[in-house]
Amino acid sequence: MENLKTAVELAVGSGKALPFACFSSVYEQRIANVPISRPLLVCVLDGCKQLLGETEVTGQAGDFLLLSNHAALEMRNVPSGNGYRALLIEFEYEDFLPFIGKGRSRDKYLRGELSPLLGRTLTQFVEWATWAPQHLWPLRRQEILHALWHEGFHQIGQMIEPPGLSHQIYNRLAANPASDPGSAELAAALAMSESTLRRRLRQENTSLTTLRDQARLGVALTLLQTTELPVAMVAERCGYQSHSRFTDRFRQTFGLTPSELRKTRMTG
């Protein structure tokens, strides 16, 4: 566990593009409607993380939570004496292909302890990420999943959902949140008509406007948690020309303002 903490700290301090993120806080964070558009592994390094809703799930330091790619969740990050710190690794649906159809669970999340095997696998992944080329990242992500399978977590084969159209559009928008592609442009990129795009989104109970807002705010949440960018610059990078509108939309979605979230962050 200590080796993993050290590896994360060194990697984040390197300033390089990384296939993971580290969230931290010195004060409690309670954030509503956190979007989970890709399967997400959360490894709690200090403090604890709670998933709130019909069933409350708590991950203590030394635990992991694997979250399915489904609707938004309400989360609570609770610091301990060392604050709150968590390693977050996003996966692609394709990473799970060797495990699809295996296992027996349809759970939306999986909780477990970081065994010596998992801890060492994650430490190697973090250390390796600072120098390995990006096109090899999927191979090492799959190693983490194979380690989970080896440790008996066979549910991973059933808990991940194939990405629907809304997931595909969300990911496109999140990749460039300042852009503003219309339905015609997106339909052409996805090889379908505008009417088909709108109809399929209605079937998934969403719309292009909703997905654009979710993608922009999701990226903003990550930038506020992982960078020192001024709030105004975060708003601009995420396609908001009005700082006040960004603040209003952020508070309406997550239950706190960007400045309030930033004040909970660890610094240094």
Side-chain angles (χ1 to χ4, degrees):
M1 184 70 167
E2 292 303 318
N3 289 339
L4 177 57
K5 289 183 184 181
T6 300
V8 171
E9 183 177 353
L10 292 173
V12 171
S14 71
K16 297 179 180 179
L18 298 169
F20 60 84
C22 182
F23 283 13
S24 63
S25 66
V26 291
Y27 300 108
E28 181 179 318
Q29 299 174 329
R30 185 162 180 161
I31 310 172
N33 300 309
V34 178
I36 309 296
S37 63
R38 295 184 178 95
L40 179 67
L41 181 67
V42 180
C43 303
V44 184
L45 305 178
D46 290 300
C48 76
K49 172 177 282 294
Q50 292 181 331
L51 306 181
L52 306 175
E54 294 181 5
T55 302
E56 187 173 299
V57 182
T58 299
Q60 304 285 352
D63 291 342
F64 71 84
L65 296 167
L66 179 61
L67 309 180
S68 179
N69 51 326
H70 63 101
L73 296 172
E74 182 173 2
M75 299 184 180
R76 182 170 174 249
N77 301 327
V78 184
S80 63
N82 296 321
Y84 168 82
R85 186 180 286 108
L87 168 68
L88 283 73
I89 302 172
E90 276 193 329
F91 292 82
E92 299 293 342
Y93 175 75
E94 290 74 17
D95 298 334
F96 288 82
L97 290 180
F99 312 98
I100 298 299
K102 301 177 181 179
R104 300 178 180 177
S105 175
R106 291 288 183 179
D107 293 337
K108 298 298 184 182
Y109 59 84
L110 170 64
R111 176 192 168 280
E113 295 183 4
L114 288 174
S115 67
L117 172 64
L118 287 171
R120 187 163 185 177
T121 301
L122 289 165
T123 300
Q124 291 178 345
F125 174 77
V126 169
E127 292 174 339
W128 166 91
T130 61
W131 55 265
Q134 293 189 15
H135 70 269
L136 295 180
W137 288 355
L139 298 176
R140 298 308 294 264
R141 291 198 304 263
Q142 275 203 350
E143 284 186 4
I144 297 172
L145 298 178
H146 279 286
L148 285 168
W149 183 273
H150 178 79
E151 293 291 87
F153 296 104
H154 297 167
Q155 305 97 308
I156 63 175
Q158 288 291 335
M159 63 182 295
I160 305 304
E161 302 173 0
L165 179 62
S166 57
H167 281 90
Q168 296 177 52
I169 293 177
Y170 178 99
N171 290 334
R172 284 176 176 269
L173 296 172
N176 188 5
S179 66
D180 191 21
S183 58
E185 182 179 343
L186 286 169
L190 294 167
M192 64 180 66
S193 67
E194 285 186 74
S195 59
T196 298
L197 183 144
R198 294 194 187 97
R199 174 176 54 79
R200 289 183 57 183
L201 288 180
R202 283 197 301 270
Q203 291 172 345
E204 296 183 23
N205 298 312
T206 189
S207 68
L208 180 55
T209 299
T210 298
L211 292 172
R212 181 181 290 111
D213 213 25
Q214 289 175 343
R216 288 176 170 178
L217 291 170
V219 173
L221 179 64
T222 298
L223 290 175
L224 289 167
Q225 290 276 51
T226 60
T227 75
E228 301 301 325
L229 290 173
V231 173
M233 187 173 293
V234 171
E236 183 178 345
R237 287 197 177 188
C238 293
Y240 289 93
Q241 302 304 316
S242 167
H243 183 283
S244 61
R245 173 159 178 75
F246 169 62
T247 296
D248 288 344
R249 292 295 300 122
F250 195 93
R251 181 180 61 246
Q252 290 167 13
T253 300
F254 298 125
L256 73 173
T257 68
S259 297
E260 288 170 343
L261 177 64
R262 184 56 71 72
K263 288 176 182 177
T264 68
R265 283 269 316 280
M266 280 186 181
T267 58

